[in-house]
Amino acid sequence: GAGVSQSPRYKVAKRGQDVALRCDPISGHVSLFWYQQALGQGPEFLTYFQNEAQLDKSGLPSDRFFAERPEGSVSTLKIQRTQQEDSAVYLCASSSTPPGGFTDTQYFGPGTRLTVL
Amino acid sequence: ILNVEQSPQSLHVQEGDSTNFTCSFPSSNFYALHWYRWETAKSPEALFVMTLNGDEKKKGRISATLNTKEGYSYLYIKGSQPEDSATYLCASSSGTYKYIFGTGTRLKVLA
């Protein structure tokens, strides 16, 4: 079946622009995660949704970052007034995890590479 | 160990060689260890999830072991092929949904 998809795959933004990154999780997956991977680093947790509820946004680096999943499927990560330090690969993952089943595998999309000039 | 660490950072091997890499993770509050293979321009592919001390998992020519008491996991590739070239990521989850990733081992298999 279809995996996790993300769009766009590449995004170049001028400093100060707003960007929106989209994630289409695997159909029926309850949990959705966003990660940020800076150059030379491993992916770092940003936020977690269970259905449409954003249960954890502790990893969002600033209030310029905002994520939503209004209908419990597609999610959008929005970055306002982009800065050069926002340049990274943004990964989305989904999991069929029911509450408490945290050994379930997270399935990742290919990522969006954001470059802020 | 406070973070997840992987070594080596990068590795070049000849086709047919066997190789292995290490993932070190905090042994306190351990819950699960995940291995992923990430080829350029593709999605990270889940290889293994391991939870029990002494676990050994195998998928084709790739296998992994887990030592939760000392906080490490080894990934082995037997008879490396060019298509094994990828970044191999490990991630630890300590009883939550948050994966803590290492920085990965970049493997290049030379034909």
Side-chain angles (χ1 to χ4, degrees), chain A residues 41-58:
Chain A
Q41 303 298 312
E44 293 189 357
F45 172 83
L46 292 177
T47 187
Y48 163 57
F49 289 86
Q50 185 172 301
N51 296 308
E52 68 279 3
Q54 189 175 20
L55 299 186
D56 187 340
K57 52 183 181 179
S58 62

PDB file of all heavy atoms in Angstrom, chain A residues 41-58:
ATOM      1  N   GLN A  41      23.239  15.994  11.717  1.00  0.00           N
ATOM      2  CA  GLN A  41      22.590  15.553  12.960  1.00  0.00           C
ATOM      3  C   GLN A  41      21.587  14.440  12.670  1.00  0.00           C
ATOM      4  O   GLN A  41      21.227  14.197  11.521  1.00  0.00           O
ATOM      5  CB  GLN A  41      21.867  16.730  13.620  1.00  0.00           C
ATOM      6  CG  GLN A  41      22.749  17.914  13.928  1.00  0.00           C
ATOM      7  CD  GLN A  41      23.841  17.572  14.904  1.00  0.00           C
ATOM      8  OE1 GLN A  41      23.591  16.955  15.938  1.00  0.00           O
ATOM      9  NE2 GLN A  41      25.069  17.971  14.596  1.00  0.00           N
ATOM     10  N   GLY A  42      21.152  13.785  13.732  1.00  0.00           N
ATOM     11  CA  GLY A  42      20.052  12.850  13.582  1.00  0.00           C
ATOM     12  C   GLY A  42      18.728  13.592  13.652  1.00  0.00           C
ATOM     13  O   GLY A  42      18.664  14.735  14.113  1.00  0.00           O
ATOM     14  N   PRO A  43      17.658  12.962  13.189  1.00  0.00           N
ATOM     15  CA  PRO A  43      16.337  13.603  13.286  1.00  0.00           C
ATOM     16  C   PRO A  43      15.986  13.897  14.741  1.00  0.00           C
ATOM     17  O   PRO A  43      16.270  13.090  15.623  1.00  0.00           O
ATOM     18  CB  PRO A  43      15.399  12.551  12.688  1.00  0.00           C
ATOM     19  CG  PRO A  43      16.264  11.708  11.806  1.00  0.00           C
ATOM     20  CD  PRO A  43      17.597  11.661  12.497  1.00  0.00           C
ATOM     21  N   GLU A  44      15.370  15.063  14.978  1.00  0.00           N
ATOM     22  CA  GLU A  44      14.951  15.446  16.332  1.00  0.00           C
ATOM     23  C   GLU A  44      13.450  15.689  16.351  1.00  0.00           C
ATOM     24  O   GLU A  44      12.902  16.330  15.462  1.00  0.00           O
ATOM     25  CB  GLU A  44      15.698  16.705  16.792  1.00  0.00           C
ATOM     26  CG  GLU A  44      17.183  16.471  16.997  1.00  0.00           C
ATOM     27  CD  GLU A  44      17.885  17.649  17.648  1.00  0.00           C
ATOM     28  OE1 GLU A  44      17.221  18.670  17.884  1.00  0.00           O
ATOM     29  OE2 GLU A  44      19.088  17.540  17.919  1.00  0.00           O
ATOM     30  N   PHE A  45      12.811  15.189  17.386  1.00  0.00           N
ATOM     31  CA  PHE A  45      11.361  15.264  17.553  1.00  0.00           C
ATOM     32  C   PHE A  45      10.887  16.715  17.616  1.00  0.00           C
ATOM     33  O   PHE A  45      11.481  17.551  18.304  1.00  0.00           O
ATOM     34  CB  PHE A  45      10.977  14.544  18.850  1.00  0.00           C
ATOM     35  CG  PHE A  45       9.541  14.713  19.248  1.00  0.00           C
ATOM     36  CD1 PHE A  45       8.551  13.914  18.700  1.00  0.00           C
ATOM     37  CD2 PHE A  45       9.182  15.672  20.179  1.00  0.00           C
ATOM     38  CE1 PHE A  45       7.229  14.078  19.084  1.00  0.00           C
ATOM     39  CE2 PHE A  45       7.866  15.833  20.570  1.00  0.00           C
ATOM     40  CZ  PHE A  45       6.887  15.036  20.020  1.00  0.00           C
ATOM     41  N   LEU A  46       9.813  16.989  16.877  1.00  0.00           N
ATOM     42  CA  LEU A  46       9.184  18.300  16.947  1.00  0.00           C
ATOM     43  C   LEU A  46       7.830  18.243  17.649  1.00  0.00           C
ATOM     44  O   LEU A  46       7.582  18.952  18.612  1.00  0.00           O
ATOM     45  CB  LEU A  46       8.985  18.872  15.533  1.00  0.00           C
ATOM     46  CG  LEU A  46      10.242  19.249  14.749  1.00  0.00           C
ATOM     47  CD1 LEU A  46       9.852  19.735  13.355  1.00  0.00           C
ATOM     48  CD2 LEU A  46      11.049  20.296  15.486  1.00  0.00           C
ATOM     49  N   THR A  47       6.919  17.379  17.128  1.00  0.00           N
ATOM     50  CA  THR A  47       5.561  17.380  17.644  1.00  0.00           C
ATOM     51  C   THR A  47       4.872  16.062  17.335  1.00  0.00           C
ATOM     52  O   THR A  47       5.300  15.324  16.454  1.00  0.00           O
ATOM     53  CB  THR A  47       4.763  18.567  17.067  1.00  0.00           C
ATOM     54  OG1 THR A  47       3.484  18.662  17.707  1.00  0.00           O
ATOM     55  CG2 THR A  47       4.561  18.431  15.561  1.00  0.00           C
ATOM     56  N   TYR A  48       3.802  15.785  18.073  1.00  0.00           N
ATOM     57  CA  TYR A  48       3.069  14.522  17.967  1.00  0.00           C
ATOM     58  C   TYR A  48       1.573  14.787  17.973  1.00  0.00           C
ATOM     59  O   TYR A  48       1.066  15.544  18.800  1.00  0.00           O
ATOM     60  CB  TYR A  48       3.459  13.616  19.135  1.00  0.00           C
ATOM     61  CG  TYR A  48       2.516  12.454  19.395  1.00  0.00           C
ATOM     62  CD1 TYR A  48       2.226  11.526  18.392  1.00  0.00           C
ATOM     63  CD2 TYR A  48       1.921  12.276  20.647  1.00  0.00           C
ATOM     64  CE1 TYR A  48       1.374  10.467  18.638  1.00  0.00           C
ATOM     65  CE2 TYR A  48       1.072  11.218  20.890  1.00  0.00           C
ATOM     66  CZ  TYR A  48       0.804  10.308  19.889  1.00  0.00           C
ATOM     67  OH  TYR A  48      -0.040   9.255  20.113  1.00  0.00           O
ATOM     68  N   PHE A  49       0.875  14.124  17.052  1.00  0.00           N
ATOM     69  CA  PHE A  49      -0.581  14.155  16.987  1.00  0.00           C
ATOM     70  C   PHE A  49      -1.133  12.753  17.200  1.00  0.00           C
ATOM     71  O   PHE A  49      -0.612  11.778  16.663  1.00  0.00           O
ATOM     72  CB  PHE A  49      -1.058  14.624  15.605  1.00  0.00           C
ATOM     73  CG  PHE A  49      -0.827  16.077  15.325  1.00  0.00           C
ATOM     74  CD1 PHE A  49       0.380  16.521  14.814  1.00  0.00           C
ATOM     75  CD2 PHE A  49      -1.826  17.009  15.559  1.00  0.00           C
ATOM     76  CE1 PHE A  49       0.596  17.857  14.545  1.00  0.00           C
ATOM     77  CE2 PHE A  49      -1.629  18.354  15.287  1.00  0.00           C
ATOM     78  CZ  PHE A  49      -0.414  18.777  14.777  1.00  0.00           C
ATOM     79  N   GLN A  50      -2.206  12.688  17.951  1.00  0.00           N
ATOM     80  CA  GLN A  50      -3.014  11.463  17.994  1.00  0.00           C
ATOM     81  C   GLN A  50      -4.367  11.857  17.417  1.00  0.00           C
ATOM     82  O   GLN A  50      -5.116  12.619  18.012  1.00  0.00           O
ATOM     83  CB  GLN A  50      -3.155  10.945  19.418  1.00  0.00           C
ATOM     84  CG  GLN A  50      -3.873   9.610  19.494  1.00  0.00           C
ATOM     85  CD  GLN A  50      -3.823   9.032  20.888  1.00  0.00           C
ATOM     86  OE1 GLN A  50      -2.770   8.798  21.436  1.00  0.00           O
ATOM     87  NE2 GLN A  50      -4.987   8.824  21.475  1.00  0.00           N
ATOM     88  N   ASN A  51      -4.654  11.312  16.244  1.00  0.00           N
ATOM     89  CA  ASN A  51      -5.789  11.779  15.436  1.00  0.00           C
ATOM     90  C   ASN A  51      -5.627  13.294  15.223  1.00  0.00           C
ATOM     91  O   ASN A  51      -4.563  13.731  14.799  1.00  0.00           O
ATOM     92  CB  ASN A  51      -7.093  11.391  16.097  1.00  0.00           C
ATOM     93  CG  ASN A  51      -7.264   9.882  16.157  1.00  0.00           C
ATOM     94  OD1 ASN A  51      -7.142   9.196  15.140  1.00  0.00           O
ATOM     95  ND2 ASN A  51      -7.534   9.352  17.347  1.00  0.00           N
ATOM     96  N   GLU A  52      -6.640  14.095  15.545  1.00  0.00           N
ATOM     97  CA  GLU A  52      -6.515  15.530  15.292  1.00  0.00           C
ATOM     98  C   GLU A  52      -5.924  16.295  16.483  1.00  0.00           C
ATOM     99  O   GLU A  52      -5.650  17.496  16.370  1.00  0.00           O
ATOM    100  CB  GLU A  52      -7.880  16.118  14.932  1.00  0.00           C
ATOM    101  CG  GLU A  52      -8.889  16.145  16.067  1.00  0.00           C
ATOM    102  CD  GLU A  52      -9.582  14.802  16.269  1.00  0.00           C
ATOM    103  OE1 GLU A  52      -9.236  13.829  15.567  1.00  0.00           O
ATOM    104  OE2 GLU A  52     -10.466  14.749  17.155  1.00  0.00           O
ATOM    105  N   ALA A  53      -5.713  15.602  17.583  1.00  0.00           N
ATOM    106  CA  ALA A  53      -5.232  16.279  18.786  1.00  0.00           C
ATOM    107  C   ALA A  53      -3.707  16.347  18.820  1.00  0.00           C
ATOM    108  O   ALA A  53      -3.031  15.314  18.701  1.00  0.00           O
ATOM    109  CB  ALA A  53      -5.743  15.534  20.028  1.00  0.00           C
ATOM    110  N   GLN A  54      -3.193  17.550  18.992  1.00  0.00           N
ATOM    111  CA  GLN A  54      -1.751  17.734  19.139  1.00  0.00           C
ATOM    112  C   GLN A  54      -1.409  17.538  20.609  1.00  0.00           C
ATOM    113  O   GLN A  54      -1.622  18.434  21.433  1.00  0.00           O
ATOM    114  CB  GLN A  54      -1.332  19.126  18.661  1.00  0.00           C
ATOM    115  CG  GLN A  54       0.178  19.317  18.587  1.00  0.00           C
ATOM    116  CD  GLN A  54       0.564  20.675  18.000  1.00  0.00           C
ATOM    117  OE1 GLN A  54      -0.230  21.611  17.983  1.00  0.00           O
ATOM    118  NE2 GLN A  54       1.784  20.793  17.500  1.00  0.00           N
ATOM    119  N   LEU A  55      -0.881  16.358  20.930  1.00  0.00           N
ATOM    120  CA  LEU A  55      -0.650  16.011  22.325  1.00  0.00           C
ATOM    121  C   LEU A  55       0.696  16.480  22.850  1.00  0.00           C
ATOM    122  O   LEU A  55       0.889  16.551  24.072  1.00  0.00           O
ATOM    123  CB  LEU A  55      -0.785  14.500  22.530  1.00  0.00           C
ATOM    124  CG  LEU A  55      -2.152  13.896  22.197  1.00  0.00           C
ATOM    125  CD1 LEU A  55      -2.197  12.424  22.577  1.00  0.00           C
ATOM    126  CD2 LEU A  55      -3.268  14.665  22.886  1.00  0.00           C
ATOM    127  N   ASP A  56       1.618  16.759  21.950  1.00  0.00           N
ATOM    128  CA  ASP A  56       2.956  17.145  22.407  1.00  0.00           C
ATOM    129  C   ASP A  56       3.566  18.042  21.349  1.00  0.00           C
ATOM    130  O   ASP A  56       3.697  17.626  20.199  1.00  0.00           O
ATOM    131  CB  ASP A  56       3.817  15.896  22.632  1.00  0.00           C
ATOM    132  CG  ASP A  56       5.165  16.192  23.264  1.00  0.00           C
ATOM    133  OD1 ASP A  56       5.632  17.341  23.213  1.00  0.00           O
ATOM    134  OD2 ASP A  56       5.767  15.246  23.805  1.00  0.00           O
ATOM    135  N   LYS A  57       3.909  19.258  21.736  1.00  0.00           N
ATOM    136  CA  LYS A  57       4.607  20.152  20.818  1.00  0.00           C
ATOM    137  C   LYS A  57       5.884  20.664  21.464  1.00  0.00           C
ATOM    138  O   LYS A  57       6.375  21.737  21.125  1.00  0.00           O
ATOM    139  CB  LYS A  57       3.716  21.290  20.355  1.00  0.00           C
ATOM    140  CG  LYS A  57       3.023  22.065  21.463  1.00  0.00           C
ATOM    141  CD  LYS A  57       2.112  23.125  20.847  1.00  0.00           C
ATOM    142  CE  LYS A  57       1.424  23.943  21.927  1.00  0.00           C
ATOM    143  NZ  LYS A  57       0.533  25.001  21.347  1.00  0.00           N
ATOM    144  N   SER A  58       6.409  19.870  22.370  1.00  0.00           N
ATOM    145  CA  SER A  58       7.563  20.292  23.155  1.00  0.00           C
ATOM    146  C   SER A  58       8.828  20.480  22.333  1.00  0.00           C
ATOM    147  O   SER A  58       9.741  21.181  22.747  1.00  0.00           O
ATOM    148  CB  SER A  58       7.834  19.287  24.278  1.00  0.00           C
ATOM    149  OG  SER A  58       8.150  18.013  23.740  1.00  0.00           O
TER     150      SER A  58
END
